[in-house]
Amino acid sequence: MLRPKYEFCDPSEYQASADDMDGLPPNLPVTPTYVQHKQRGQLEKYVLEMAQHPIRARMCGFGEKDRRPLDPPPVVRLRVRDDNGDFMRSEDVDIWKFVVSATLWAPHNDSDRSIVINPNTLPGSVPMYQSSPSVMALNEPVKVRNLVGTTVSNAYLLKDEHDSLNIFFIFHDLSVRTEGRFRLKFQFTVIPSEDDPRAFVESVTWSNVFEVYSAKTFPGMTDSTELSKAFAIQGIKITIRKNSRGRPYNYRTDDVQDDDGDNYDDENANVGSGAGASASNFR
């Protein structure tokens, strides 16, 4: 019987290593807050929705240096209702305790794909998709994050491509180790206070299904979206391209670029200046 190409694991079996600064988002109960609208009745206070779906990416494999961000970068928008059930102006919302976490799932939302066994550590395996030489260990198979990068985003008050001010969460550096079809699950949480340390998932949204390709089958990067360009103008660290295979017009000589037209800064500095909520507070 042939071994499956990839073996995925329950996230609860994963133990973050010392150099895994992000780890996995905590498993919190989904408990929305509701407000009462005069005509429409009970409504959710926080409404999370996709502003930009990822379309494709090149798999980044099981090395520790190669990163291939999802294209275009996933972006989530949040709308908040007041006590009367009406949507508030984004600029009137206190956003500094808002965070959204991302996890990787199978196309039908039925299985978490955030954790995978490194196939190079399986008994009798031949190293595959390894960007650097390695020696196969004789220990237990190693479980690693399949969704790599910053999986928790702070809130940012930014203008979209239509010059409208909104609350956004930007995931500019997410990569996937394995090829296949996936979708992202996003969960919104308000960082708890000392007076009330309980944390809940207030709202959930899903991306469309996207494809992660091997290096040989990857069709190349897409054109930068108008939303991404609008963020870049406002100082957000996000890759912008003139065309799907050309050199980005914000290209810097210290960035890494290859023949896919992809460039990525290994420094992975924080996105923009945004709100003050910290991913470390979320954990």
Side-chain angles (χ1 to χ4, degrees):
M1 180 176 179
L2 294 176
R3 184 186 301 276
K5 189 170 186 180
Y6 302 111
E7 295 186 17
F8 300 98
C9 311
D10 189 319
S12 63
E13 301 175 4
Y14 176 69
Q15 293 184 346
S17 60
D19 57 352
D20 186 354
M21 300 302 293
D22 291 306
L24 291 175
N27 185 18
L28 300 175
V30 179
T31 311
T33 299
Y34 291 93
V35 293
Q36 192 70 26
H37 191 275
K38 291 182 179 180
Q39 283 79 35
R40 301 176 61 190
Q42 199 174 53
L43 300 171
E44 290 189 14
K45 180 180 178 66
Y46 301 103
V47 179
L48 197 66
E49 56 192 20
M50 294 299 303
Q52 181 163 278
H53 294 270
I55 297 175
R56 61 191 183 219
R58 174 177 162 180
M59 61 180 288
C60 68
F62 291 86
E64 295 306 319
K65 293 185 178 181
D66 193 17
R67 292 292 177 265
R68 305 287 172 168
L70 298 180
D71 180 43
V75 178
V76 184
R77 176 173 48 235
L78 179 71
R79 296 195 291 168
V80 182
R81 290 189 172 99
D82 60 22
D83 292 338
N84 297 319
D86 299 316
F87 282 117
M88 301 173 61
R89 297 193 312 165
S90 296
E91 55 266 43
D92 294 334
V93 179
D94 185 2
I95 65 174
W96 78 277
K97 287 188 176 182
F98 290 178
V99 289
V100 169
S101 62
T103 49
L104 189 69
W105 286 71
H108 299 293
N109 308 354
D110 56 355
S111 181
D112 195 315
R113 292 288 187 257
S114 298
I115 303 299
V116 65
I117 292 178
N118 185 337
N120 303 312
T121 66
L122 292 170
S125 65
V126 177
M128 59 186 296
Y129 304 127
Q130 192 80 359
S131 61
S132 59
S134 64
V135 177
M136 187 181 71
L138 299 178
N139 300 321
E140 291 186 6
V142 176
K143 301 178 180 70
V144 296
R145 287 173 56 191
N146 194 25
L147 184 64
V148 186
T150 306
T151 56
V152 177
S153 172
N154 303 333
Y156 298 91
L157 190 60
L158 297 167
K159 291 184 177 181
D160 61 17
E161 70 273 34
H162 305 296
D163 208 34
S164 176
L165 203 60
N166 286 278
I167 302 169
F168 292 106
F169 301 84
I170 305 169
F171 295 83
H172 73 299
D173 69 341
L174 292 181
S175 302
V176 179
R177 293 189 187 276
T178 60
E179 59 185 301
R181 299 176 75 244
F182 304 96
R183 69 191 313 179
L184 292 170
K185 179 182 181 181
F186 295 97
Q187 299 184 102
F188 166 70
T189 302
V190 180
I191 296 175
S193 63
E194 293 183 358
D195 296 333
D196 187 4
R198 297 172 300 172
F200 305 98
V201 172
E202 293 276 4
S203 186
V204 176
T205 192
W206 295 81
S207 76
N208 292 339
V209 176
F210 59 90
E211 185 90 17
V212 180
Y213 296 85
S214 67
K216 291 183 178 180
T217 61
F218 182 56
M221 309 299 285
T222 64
D223 292 344
S224 294
T225 65
E226 295 303 314
L227 182 61
S228 292
K229 293 175 183 178
F231 289 163
I233 291 173
Q234 296 170 79
I236 297 300
K237 181 181 173 60
I238 196 167
T239 299
I240 300 298
R241 298 175 184 82
K242 285 184 177 180
N243 54 64
S244 59
R245 298 194 63 84
R247 173 175 292 188
Y249 66 71
N250 67 344
Y251 175 81
R252 303 193 314 272
T253 56
D254 59 334
D255 284 348
V256 177
Q257 181 163 349
D258 60 21
D259 57 5
D260 294 319
D262 184 19
N263 80 321
Y264 187 65
D265 185 354
D266 286 332
E267 296 293 329
N268 279 339
N270 292 331
V271 180
S273 55
S278 167
S280 61
N281 296 133
F282 183 56
R283 299 195 300 273

